[in-house]
Amino acid sequence: KIALFLFGTYLGSIMTLRSSDELYVSIPFIKFSPSAQKKKDLLIDASVLADARIFDLCSTGILDKHLVIPRFIIKELYALTESMEEAIKSRARQCLETIKQLEQLQNLEIRFNDTDFPEVKDIGSKITRLARLIDANILTADINRAQMSSIEGLQVVNIHSLSNALKPLMETGELVRIKVQRHGKEPRQGVGYLDDGTMVVINGGGN
């Protein structure tokens, strides 16, 4: 009996640790966590879905199995498709199309979260509360939201900062071959672009 009791205690502890996320959602004041620190999920907002770079970022595989989209964002996007303003309607449709494209990526395994906060009207506040609830980071392209979330103590990944960090660094004396596409503002200046869209001004390259 003692052996069965000890084995049952051990088995129950292991199963509790493995289902720590589900227990945390069902019991908000109790959180079980394993000793090994796992990689946090990324909760994305509508500003990221409107940025075409998110598809290229997900295609790299760096976000596989860690991307979470709240259902209340999708609900809000469908509501915006009925807007009278064409710009808002077009942006909402673009976001929904991006979600469909992300779902087609084989290894991404994007997940949807059904948790909602009906008493909260602001979408940004909902994302903040959900990030705290599921212990996730926030992926955004909204600079203001990134600053507000950082103030509230949440880890925020800004896609603009990520893009700037990955820009190629050029050193003095390095040779770069680019196509001069148009004239610059000053006389005899030419303008070209790097692969990532960075503008290069060439003095004396106007011809």
Side-chain angles (χ1 to χ4, degrees):
K1 291 182 178 180
I2 294 176
L4 289 175
F5 174 76
L6 293 176
F7 176 75
T9 302
Y10 171 77
L11 184 62
S13 300
I14 295 298
M15 294 180 64
T16 300
L17 290 176
R18 290 187 176 181
S19 60
S20 59
D21 291 338
E22 290 78 6
L23 286 172
Y24 181 51
V25 173
S26 60
I27 312 176
F29 300 103
I30 301 177
K31 181 181 179 182
F32 301 92
S33 59
S35 57
Q37 193 71 18
K38 68 175 184 177
K39 183 179 177 182
K40 287 190 175 183
D41 291 328
L42 279 174
L43 195 64
I44 68 175
D45 60 7
S47 65
V48 173
L49 296 173
D51 195 316
R53 294 174 295 180
I54 184 61
F55 183 80
D56 295 330
L57 179 61
C58 293
S59 299
T60 63
I62 195 173
L63 301 180
D64 285 358
K65 302 179 182 179
H66 289 282
L67 208 60
V68 180
I69 300 180
R71 292 282 187 186
F72 58 75
I73 285 185
I74 300 178
K75 182 179 179 180
E76 180 72 12
L77 291 174
Y78 275 111
L80 291 177
T81 56
E82 305 297 330
S83 173
M84 299 299 294
E85 297 186 24
E86 189 62 33
I88 296 178
K89 184 186 300 184
S90 177
R91 181 185 176 90
R93 288 175 178 173
Q94 178 185 349
C95 293
L96 293 172
E97 184 62 29
T98 300
I99 294 176
K100 292 180 180 180
Q101 293 176 354
L102 294 178
E103 287 183 292
Q104 294 175 359
L105 292 177
Q106 294 182 353
N107 298 324
L108 182 60
E109 294 187 18
I110 192 170
R111 305 199 308 276
F112 298 92
N113 191 290
D114 295 321
T115 306
D116 199 354
F117 308 95
E119 71 280 5
V120 180
K121 302 302 180 183
D122 181 58
I123 294 295
S125 299
K126 285 187 176 185
I127 292 177
T128 300
R129 291 189 60 175
L130 182 57
R132 289 185 184 279
L133 179 64
I134 65 175
D135 192 23
N137 297 333
I138 298 176
L139 180 63
T140 184
D142 189 339
I143 298 177
N144 295 327
R145 179 169 296 170
Q147 293 175 346
M148 289 299 297
S149 298
S150 297
I151 293 174
E152 294 177 359
L154 293 172
Q155 182 68 34
V156 179
V157 180
N158 189 342
I159 195 171
H160 298 302
S161 300
L162 180 62
S163 177
N164 291 332
L166 295 177
K167 284 185 177 180
L169 299 177
M170 302 299 173
E171 298 180 358
T172 303
E174 184 177 356
L175 298 178
V176 181
R177 183 179 295 275
I178 64 173
K179 179 181 179 180
V180 183
Q181 298 184 0
R182 60 182 177 83
H183 291 280
K185 294 182 178 180
E186 302 297 330
R188 301 184 60 215
Q189 276 187 347
V191 175
Y193 297 89
L194 299 179
D195 293 337
D196 66 343
T198 303
M199 184 176 69
V200 180
V201 179
I202 306 103
N203 290 325
N207 293 331

